[in-house]
Amino acid sequence: MKEIPAIDLSEYKNASTPEAKAAFYEKLLHAAHEVGFFYLVGHGISEELCDKLRAQSKEFFHLPLEIKQKIALENSKHFRGYTAVGGEYTLGQKDWREEIDLGLDQPPRGDEPAFMRLYGPNQWSDETAELKKTFDEWQGKVNEMGFTLLDAFSNALYGRSGVFDELFGDDFYEHGKLIHYPGRAEMGDEYSADTQGVGAHKDDGFLTLLMIDEIAGLQVEVKKGEWIDASYKKAAFVINIGEFLEIATDGYLRATNHRVKSPLKGQERISCVIFLGSKLDHKLEVYELPPQLKEKMRGVERDPHNPLIPTIGWNYLKHRLRSHKEVAQKFYADVYDPTNPASALKAGIGE
């Protein structure tokens, strides 16, 4: 495989016959079952809005560090705000990127259990007022796209809409990022710890909705040890299956390892992403597939470096604690275990 497949969402929205819908479902399930990654076109989000967010994000990352630090993530127990280059980790290794972590702008919902602290407001400053306005508009459009896609999966898998609706509502959680990868690699460099924009991982959540730019870097492990580039495609989002949707389908849909290689020196790369989540207090479960699909369920790949916890909120918190040690120590000392690199949670929590 040289390129991840492409799916046209307008074919789903405009399908007027059962045959047209069935043809779309076949393509969607092939992409999500075999690869776990695909380009999404025909989504209806304007290129003007996408270009505006990329441009304003780049402007923010070019600001002096002291300005960016006004919204430092280390001051937010909700893991919202700015992280400088090298301030985030994937499985203990520094990621060479800077970013703003965001989500749904929600009121805090208490501190117990500890994963409830993930709910809360985003951090903004006077200098980011226009960026906030653009991000909020883009986030709303991307969420609409994501829920349309999730509805398509519901119909393609189960023959009806709404199978996953119980996971969402006014109190659902999602994670977002505006990311800047500064140039670090030399021509001919392979991916390594020295060129790690972000380390190899699978995403939590149900669907990842990613907007990239023309600068290469995203790589997808289509087979064990076989990595291909997921390059920029005009007017397309890159979509991948998250761990929770893999679990919900008992491995029929595939959550795939991916990573980002740093751009060449003198280049820079902008990515904007939404990780579509769910209610934090919901437990992971399998939504049993019909017989014709059930025989293709692979089960969920178990990774000792990334144990899955039954309650969704603990899984989200596990990822945040591993990635941001300062916030973990400051706001989560009651549950954080820095000696447990796989989950970062104290023994017995979430079981």
Side-chain angles (χ1 to χ4, degrees):
M1 179 180 293
K2 295 182 178 179
E3 186 179 64
I4 63 174
I7 300 294
D8 188 338
L9 191 60
S10 68
E11 293 179 4
Y12 174 66
K13 293 187 285 188
N14 299 332
S16 58
T17 65
E19 292 78 15
K21 289 183 178 179
F24 173 82
Y25 297 152
E26 182 179 359
K27 288 185 284 189
L28 178 65
L29 293 185
H30 174 79
H33 174 74
E34 297 293 340
V35 187
F37 265 79
F38 54 91
Y39 295 110
L40 190 71
V41 298
H43 45 70
I45 301 176
S46 76
E47 272 296 283
E48 181 182 5
L49 177 60
C50 293
D51 288 342
K52 187 176 181 181
L53 181 62
R54 278 187 286 249
Q56 290 181 348
S57 296
K58 185 179 289 188
E59 288 174 6
F60 171 82
F61 290 118
H62 286 181
L63 291 171
L65 182 60
E66 61 267 22
I67 300 289
K68 293 184 284 191
Q69 290 286 14
K70 288 183 178 181
I71 57 169
L73 181 137
E74 64 191 42
N75 296 322
S76 168
K77 70 178 178 181
H78 317 296
F79 293 93
R80 313 290 178 93
Y82 170 75
T83 299
V85 174
E88 186 174 17
Y89 296 77
T90 300
L91 296 179
Q93 184 70 44
K94 282 186 177 182
D95 294 325
W96 292 101
R97 61 180 183 175
E98 57 179 335
E99 62 198 18
I100 308 174
D101 280 81
L102 301 157
L104 293 170
D105 228 332
Q106 298 165 312
R109 296 177 182 265
D111 288 342
E112 297 299 333
F115 60 72
M116 296 297 287
R117 298 169 213 170
L118 294 173
Y119 288 117
N122 295 321
Q123 282 200 84
W124 300 104
S125 63
D126 292 342
E127 292 84 358
T128 58
E130 288 302 311
L131 177 59
K132 176 189 184 303
K133 183 178 177 181
T134 303
F135 173 79
D136 287 347
E137 181 182 358
W138 180 85
Q139 181 184 36
K141 299 289 186 183
V142 172
N143 281 344
E144 182 179 344
M145 176 185 75
F147 284 121
T148 300
L149 186 56
L150 199 61
D151 187 65
F153 274 115
S154 178
N155 280 287
L157 293 165
Y158 302 99
R160 65 188 191 276
S161 293
V163 169
F164 303 113
D165 284 359
E166 64 177 324
L167 299 167
F168 301 95
D170 293 340
D171 58 343
F172 91 92
Y173 172 83
E174 75 176 20
H175 183 210
K177 287 177 180 283
L178 304 177
I179 310 168
H180 175 239
Y181 297 92
R184 182 174 173 83
E186 301 282 358
M187 186 68 71
D189 281 353
E190 298 293 332
Y191 174 92
S192 69
D194 291 332
T195 61
Q196 175 179 306
V198 62
H201 66 286
K202 296 179 180 181
D203 290 335
D204 52 18
F206 283 83
L207 288 171
T208 298
L209 314 164
L210 171 66
M211 184 178 76
I212 59 177
D213 66 10
E214 293 89 343
I215 303 301
L218 177 61
Q219 298 178 335
V220 178
E221 191 178 30
V222 291
K223 293 182 180 179
K224 191 70 173 178
E226 181 183 337
W227 295 84
I228 66 170
D229 293 326
S231 303
Y232 172 79
K233 186 179 182 71
K234 185 173 176 59
F237 277 72
V238 178
I239 310 297
N240 62 278
I241 304 300
E243 290 176 324
F244 300 163
L245 195 51
E246 181 182 59
I247 292 168
T249 60
D250 200 18
Y252 179 80
L253 298 185
R254 179 184 176 194
T256 306
N257 269 324
H258 52 287
R259 65 193 186 191
V260 175
K261 178 185 170 185
S262 296
L264 296 175
K265 290 179 179 177
Q267 295 181 339
E268 57 184 333
R269 184 173 187 272
I270 296 290
S271 293
C272 308
V273 61
I274 295 292
F275 305 96
L276 194 63
S278 75
K279 297 178 180 179
L280 291 181
D281 60 358
H282 198 86
K283 290 189 179 295
L284 296 169
E285 59 182 296
V286 174
Y287 291 75
E288 188 168 346
L289 291 170
Q292 70 271 22
L293 298 179
K294 191 173 182 180
E295 63 184 25
K296 297 181 180 179
M297 295 162 73
R298 292 170 288 216
V300 177
E301 182 181 354
R302 301 295 174 177
D303 182 354
H305 299 294
N306 184 35
L308 293 168
I309 305 171
T311 301
I312 284 174
W314 289 121
N315 276 287
Y316 276 120
L317 183 58
K318 169 194 71 180
H319 281 269
R320 304 291 92 76
L321 295 177
R322 292 188 312 193
S323 298
H324 297 284
K325 300 175 183 179
E326 293 81 5
V327 177
Q329 292 165 346
K330 187 174 182 179
F331 296 108
Y332 292 88
D334 53 329
V335 296
Y336 176 53
D337 180 3
T339 69
N340 183 4
S343 77
L345 290 167
K346 291 181 178 178
I349 291 178
E351 296 177 359

